[in-house]
Amino acid sequence: DAGITQSPRHKVTETGTPVTLRCHQTENHRYMYWYRQDPGHGLRLIHYSYGVKDTDKGEVSDGYSVSRSKTEDFLLTLESATSSQTSVYFCAISSGTGSTEAFFGQGTRLTVV
Amino acid sequence: DQQVKQNSPSLSVQEGRISILNCDYTNSMFDYFLWYKKYPAEGPTFLISISSIKDKNEDGRFTVFLNKSAKHLSLHIVPSQPGDSAVYFCAARSSGGYQKVTFGTGTKLQVIP
């Protein structure tokens, strides 16, 4: 299994509070991604990174920011959590070579009350 | 704008028969297509991929077919097994340097023993 760890695995937070989710990899892969999974929507890309300090927006980036200060860590921040951000969040990594299959973390279940 | 579509939310198949999962896309700039399998409470896992320059790729019981003119791909599982019961996501990678991967909404496959 690819070395990818998400933390925390579960979190309940209140509306309006900031929340940071962490993705840590030990594979030295260049590309990292944050997705959210919601019923009826599948997996939607929030932000992705193609290198240290190189990030770009995905299809549902509003309300989220990311940072990647080193290869192994990709942080997702909800500046002011809202109930619509209740979801399961998945981090993924990819080397970018060949068929570019991505390896996913176990997910973080976030509930905003 | 859903660039990758899986129009069947669910599919039931008898054990031993063929499962066919379908996926349509709209972006002609996708250069790789991938299928992922997801069990509850786990991250998606890579199953099989196909380059846009090919029309078929096979790996054991799994075969992916690509019809570029129709912008359609399908995943065939033969024979289907109860352990194949999961949600299957179709995904597509945009050509270019940033390795952006877009997922469909998923199809839940149930293989009935």
Side-chain angles (χ1 to χ4, degrees):
Chain A
D1 288 348
I4 176 170
T5 305
Q6 291 184 231
S7 60
R9 293 293 312 280
H10 302 272
K11 186 170 181 67
V12 179
T13 192
E14 293 186 349
T15 298
T17 60
V19 177
T20 295
L21 308 183
R22 182 186 184 227
C23 179
H24 178 77
Q25 61 146 329
T26 58
E27 304 296 321
N28 201 36
H29 281 353
R30 177 181 177 188
Y31 299 92
M32 299 186 76
Y33 310 83
W34 276 107
Y35 290 90
R36 60 179 288 175
Q37 184 191 10
D38 303 288
H41 292 279
L43 290 161
R44 292 182 293 175
L45 182 64
I46 305 172
H47 281 280
Y48 62 105
S49 170
Y50 44 93
V52 174
K53 296 186 180 179
D54 291 323
T55 65
D56 204 352
K57 297 178 179 180
E59 56 191 304
V60 290
S61 60
D62 286 349
Y64 302 95
S65 62
V66 290
S67 66
R68 192 170 178 198
S69 59
K70 45 187 177 178
T71 299
E72 56 266 37
D73 289 325
F74 193 33
L75 304 180
L76 176 70
T77 298
L78 290 67
E79 302 292 346
S80 177
T82 67
S83 58
S84 65
Q85 293 176 311
T86 292
S87 186
V88 180
Y89 291 85
F90 289 99
C91 175
I93 62 174
S94 171
S95 65
T97 59
S99 65
T100 200
E101 63 190 85
F103 300 95
F104 281 79
Q106 292 289 82
T108 295
R109 182 172 292 277
L110 176 68
T111 302
V112 183
V113 298
Chain B
D1 179 26
Q2 191 78 32
Q3 297 188 50
V4 179
K5 302 178 184 178
Q6 294 176 258
N7 293 318
S8 298
S10 63
L11 175 68
S12 289
V13 173
Q14 290 287 336
E15 180 179 4
R17 306 294 291 268
I18 184 171
S19 295
I20 300 177
L21 294 91
N22 294 303
C23 179
D24 298 295
Y25 63 95
T26 57
N27 188 344
S28 299
M29 299 304 292
F30 290 141
D31 64 350
Y32 258 102
F33 301 90
L34 308 96
W35 285 94
Y36 286 81
K37 177 180 181 179
K38 186 183 181 304
Y39 293 117
E42 295 184 9
T45 55
F46 171 76
L47 196 57
I48 191 170
S49 66
I50 186 168
S51 165
S52 60
I53 63 173
K54 297 188 175 182
D55 55 18
K56 178 182 176 181
N57 189 27
E58 190 171 358
D59 184 2
R61 297 187 297 114
F62 303 91
T63 302
V64 57
F65 295 93
L66 176 62
N67 182 334
K68 285 187 69 177
S69 61
K71 293 190 174 64
H72 177 84
L73 64 156
S74 60
L75 174 68
H76 293 212
I77 306 173
V78 183
S80 299
Q81 300 173 353
D84 295 329
S85 297
V87 177
Y88 289 79
F89 289 100
C90 171
R93 186 187 80 171
S94 301
S95 60
Y98 297 149
Q99 305 277 318
K100 182 178 176 181
V101 179
T102 303
F103 282 76
T105 53
T107 296
K108 185 174 183 179
L109 173 66
Q110 181 184 19
V111 180
I112 303 166

